[in-house]
Amino acid sequence: MKSIVALQDTVTPWSDGLEPSDTELDAIEWEMPLILADVDLLDAQIAVLDRAPSELDERRIRRARRRKLAARRTLLNQAAAAVNMPGGAA
């Protein structure tokens, strides 16, 4: 039996293009507040998958939804402000 480790170079050759570029990392960092708000919402929703949500659970979900919407609004406003800057500067 052959080990997959021995065949790894054949299966998944390493390429320098697999790492995210600096631009992609900057975009991820810029979107991080929205990503974290989304994770909070998912955590709140997952917590009540197997049971009826209590009043506290419902509050937690509502707060997480509001945080997600606020983060999305902030990102959209920042993007719109960057586009509308004089001279096209970002």
Side-chain angles (χ1 to χ4, degrees), residues 4-61:
I4 188 72
V5 176
L7 301 175
Q8 190 168 6
D9 288 337
T10 306
V11 175
T12 54
W14 183 253
S15 169
D16 290 334
L18 292 177
E19 294 292 321
S21 68
D22 290 340
T23 305
E24 292 169 330
L25 290 173
D26 289 342
I28 292 169
E29 184 177 340
W30 184 69
E31 292 179 354
M32 191 55 68
L34 179 60
I35 293 168
L36 293 175
D38 211 8
V39 168
D40 287 343
L41 177 58
L42 286 171
D43 283 344
Q45 291 172 333
I46 289 170
V48 297
L49 280 178
D50 60 345
R51 59 183 166 87
S54 67
E55 184 177 336
L56 187 62
D57 293 328
E58 290 173 0
R59 286 185 200 168
R60 182 178 175 211
I61 291 170

